[in-house]
Amino acid sequence: MTRVPQTNAELEKHLQEQLQFLRASADSYDAGYEAEAKRMAVVLRVLLHDGEGNSNSKSLLGLLGIKESTKFYDSAVFEGDALNAGASLVVLPGSSKDGKAIPFLDDSPPETVGYTPFDEYWNKPILTAGSRNFSREELVKFVADQDGGAHIDSALNEDYAKL
């Protein structure tokens, strides 16, 4: 099968569409539809995830040549090698009326936020559950690839299921 490369203009159009999808999903999530997080995971996977090995799957930001030169907003806090229980990312369960974690978003403590290179942003642990740390990449892939974002597996990763 012959494949026809997309132009930069076509890739830019895809980028604008993906960002619109992300904004619409964020609005829906903020309005109370929490399952919208699954669609956000799919958009993040499209924008950021490059397939492993010989995969033809390339991130849209990578195809545009901007992923490695872009700094990513990071509010995850670490103390030594251990994550500070996601304290800069969410108000932990028990802090809200229904026991759900609530994201801080723009209310993160200013000393905890900054811009980092993609690899650090994508691969460093941002959430601890029990003795397991999860990176953004892992969480996005679990949700998008196993838990109903773009695909549903008959069985979930055990650590993710516990989370």
Side-chain angles (χ1 to χ4, degrees), residues 38-51:
K38 293 179 180 184
R39 284 198 271 217
M40 287 190 280
V42 173
V43 172
L44 292 172
R45 188 178 185 282
V46 167
L47 292 172
L48 303 172
H49 177 69
D50 289 311

Side-chain angles (χ1 to χ4, degrees), residues 7 12 40 49 57 68 88 92 103 120 131 133 140 162:
T7 66
E12 287 283 346
M40 287 190 280
H49 177 69
S57 177
E68 298 306 324
S88 73
L92 298 174
E120 181 180 341
S131 61
N133 292 331
V140 165
K162 288 178 183 176

